[in-house]
Amino acid sequence: MRTLLLSLSLLLSANLLAQDMDANGIMPKHELKLNATNLIVAAYLDGAYEYLLNEESSVGVGLLLGLGEDDILDGYRTFSLTPYYRQFFSKGYAKGFFVEGFGMLNSGTTDDYIFDSFPDDGTYVEDNYTAVAFGISIGGKFVTKRGFVAELYTGVGRNLIGTDWPDFVGRGGVSLGYRF
């Protein structure tokens, strides 16, 4: 009886582990993703690479490039490079609910209104900025057996180095990609 239970538990655990492995029995550690929301809504090309450290954590880097003059979200930003660390809280291998800490090198253009004289003699001056922000995000990641990844996340950070406006940066959307 004891041998039967031991054999059954080994078989069951091997089956559960195999669900996260690819067809060759190798645990995928890499992900490439594209943020579909930012591309459609805000005209940003926003991609990411993520490396899975273990079943509970990962590190990654996102690259965002502005494609147009869209002011829907934070349209002042034209570039950002965002390294991040994620901690997962689920039984699956690096999937489910997560909390993320990130840093963000971001740059863009702001419009400042300069008053020349009272009441209405002012001009708009375009000003470029570069800043470093730190922030936190939360989200969920879903992974199919064949490696398709969908994640939904949102977060906010504060520019602490390099500029006095904009104060905050946003991060989020729906990303689609592949785990390999």
Side-chain angles (χ1 to χ4, degrees), residues 49-179:
Y49 167 78
E50 191 168 339
Y51 179 76
L52 309 178
L53 297 171
N54 56 44
E55 65 276 359
E56 293 183 340
S57 62
S58 66
V59 293
V61 63
L63 177 66
L64 179 140
L65 300 170
L67 300 176
E69 299 289 326
D70 198 343
D71 290 334
I72 291 176
L73 298 174
D74 54 356
Y76 52 84
R77 188 175 3 152
T78 57
F79 167 83
S80 68
L81 183 65
T82 309
Y84 58 87
Y85 170 81
R86 287 184 175 169
Q87 183 68 45
F88 293 90
F89 299 92
S90 70
K91 293 181 182 181
Y93 194 92
K95 59 185 173 183
F97 176 75
F98 65 82
V99 174
E100 168 189 287
F102 68 88
M104 180 187 292
L105 172 65
N106 62 98
S107 63
T109 304
T110 62
D111 289 330
D112 293 329
Y113 187 76
I114 308 251
F115 290 98
D116 293 332
S117 63
F118 187 76
D120 293 327
D121 295 306
T123 58
Y124 280 100
V125 177
E126 198 171 86
D127 192 19
N128 294 322
Y129 74 91
T130 299
V132 176
F134 297 96
I136 189 166
S137 300
I138 60 170
K141 181 184 290 192
F142 309 95
V143 184
T144 68
K145 290 180 184 179
R146 297 187 189 262
F148 177 77
V149 175
E151 65 183 29
L152 174 67
Y153 64 102
T154 187
V156 65
R158 178 181 284 276
N159 279 324
L160 297 174
I161 302 169
T163 187
D164 56 352
W165 195 91
D167 291 334
F168 297 98
V169 292
R171 178 162 162 71
V174 176
S175 289
L176 306 173
Y178 184 69
R179 181 179 283 186

